Amino acid sequence: MMSSEFFTAWFLPGVWVTVQVTVYAAALGAAISFGIGLARGSRYWIVRFLAGTYFEVFRGMSALVLMFWMFFALPLFGWQLVPMWAGVSALGLTYGAYGSEIVRGSLAAVSPAQKEAGVALNFSRLQRLRLIELPQAWPEMVPPFNNLLIELLKGTALVSVITVADMTFAGNLVRLGTNETTPVYTLLLVLYFVLAFLITRGMRLLERRAKAGVGQRPEKTGGTTRTSGARGERQPAGAQSAAGGTA
C-alpha cells in the first residue's frame, strides 16, 4: 500500500525535477520564441527564410522522437547529453517554434498607425520595436503563452522515457513497488493540475500588469472579461497613445 514514505521519498523529488525541467525548457523556449518570432518579421529575406525554415521544421517534429534522437543518436556525432538536458533541449526547441508564431502574430497585430508614428519620430527599427511594438503586443502574448506553458508542463512527462526522474517516472516506480495503479495515477493527475493552476494564476497576474502598463484594465461584464480604456470603453491602441500624448 502506498504510504507517506513513498510520497516524500519519490514524489516530492519528482515534483522538483518536473519544475526544473519546465523552467529550463520554458527559458529556452522563450528565447527561441522571441528570436525566431522577431526574425520572421525581418526586412531581410534570408533572415525570414531561415526563421521560417526553423519554424516549419520544429513545428512538424514530434518532441518525443526528437528527445530520443538527442539522447540516443546525437552521441554518434560526438555530443553526449545527460538525460535532463536532452529532454530540456527537445522540449525547448519544439515549444519555442510554437511560441514564435505567438510573437509574430502579436507583433503583426499592432496598429500600422503606431508603427508609422515611430517612423515619423525618426525612431530606428530597434527603438520602434522596444518602445512601441513590444509594449503593445506583450499583453496579447500572455494568454496564449499561458496555454503553451501549461502544455509544456504536461509535455515534461515525456522525459520519463529517457530515465529522467520526474514525477511521472517516480509514479511508475511507486506503482511497480506497490502494485497500486489507481491511487498512483490519481495522485499524478492532481499534482499536474496543481502545478498548472499555479502557472495560470501567475500568468493572469502578469497579464493584468501588462495591460495596466499600456493603459488597459480588465472589466467583468456578464461573467466575461473584456479590456477597457481609462473611460470604461475599449479604445484602439492609436487612440490610447493619442489620448496620452494630449492629456
Side-chain angles (χ1 to χ4, degrees):
M1 183 175 180
M2 189 173 65
S3 63
S4 60
E5 182 180 353
F6 278 108
F7 184 80
T8 55
W10 292 98
F11 278 105
L12 285 184
V15 170
W16 173 237
V17 171
T18 295
V19 170
Q20 285 182 296
V21 173
T22 302
V23 171
Y24 296 150
L28 176 60
I32 293 173
S33 295
F34 280 92
I36 299 299
L38 293 174
R40 292 180 67 195
S42 173
R43 59 182 176 177
Y44 301 106
W45 73 267
I46 185 64
V47 176
R48 295 196 306 271
F49 173 77
L50 293 175
T53 300
Y54 176 92
F55 170 70
E56 294 295 343
V57 168
F58 282 91
R59 183 181 64 166
M61 283 187 178
S62 164
L64 179 60
V65 176
L66 179 60
M67 200 176 297
F68 281 150
W69 188 88
M70 299 190 75
F71 186 61
F72 294 109
L74 199 57
L76 300 177
F77 299 93
W79 290 80
Q80 179 68 59
L81 295 177
V82 297
M84 174 177 280
W85 292 115
V88 166
S89 300
L91 292 171
L93 291 170
T94 304
Y95 284 90
Y98 301 150
S100 68
E101 181 66 8
I102 297 174
V103 174
R104 186 204 63 79
S106 298
L107 289 173
V110 175
S111 170
Q114 295 289 305
K115 301 175 184 179
E116 293 169 3
V119 174
L121 292 172
N122 201 29
F123 284 174
S124 67
R125 174 65 182 126
L126 183 60
Q127 287 176 316
R128 295 198 303 271
L129 187 65
R130 181 172 61 88
L131 299 175
I132 297 176
E133 297 177 33
L134 277 177
Q136 295 186 53
W138 174 239
E140 306 304 322
M141 296 181 195
V142 176
F145 268 131
N146 179 29
N147 291 334
L148 192 61
L149 188 55
I150 291 175
E151 289 297 321
L152 173 60
L153 168 67
K154 294 184 290 186
T156 59
L158 297 176
V159 301
S160 63
V161 301
I162 56 172
T163 70
V164 177
D166 71 323
M167 59 187 185
T168 299
F169 185 85
N172 286 328
L173 289 181
V174 172
R175 183 186 65 84
L176 292 174
T178 62
N179 201 28
E180 293 189 7
T181 300
T182 302
V184 168
Y185 288 129
T186 300
L187 179 58
L188 281 176
L189 288 175
V190 171
L191 289 173
Y192 276 110
F193 169 77
V194 170
L195 292 176
F197 180 77
L198 293 175
I199 289 174
T200 299
R201 299 307 300 174
M203 293 296 282
R204 284 181 179 173
L205 177 62
L206 182 62
E207 181 184 2
R208 287 197 296 269
R209 291 187 175 182
K211 288 183 176 180
V214 293
Q216 300 176 356
R217 68 174 184 270
E219 286 187 354
K220 294 182 178 179
T221 54
T224 60
T225 302
R226 66 184 179 89
T227 303
S228 63
R231 296 182 180 179
E233 57 184 8
R234 184 175 178 83
Q235 299 178 347
Q240 293 171 5
S241 297
T246 56

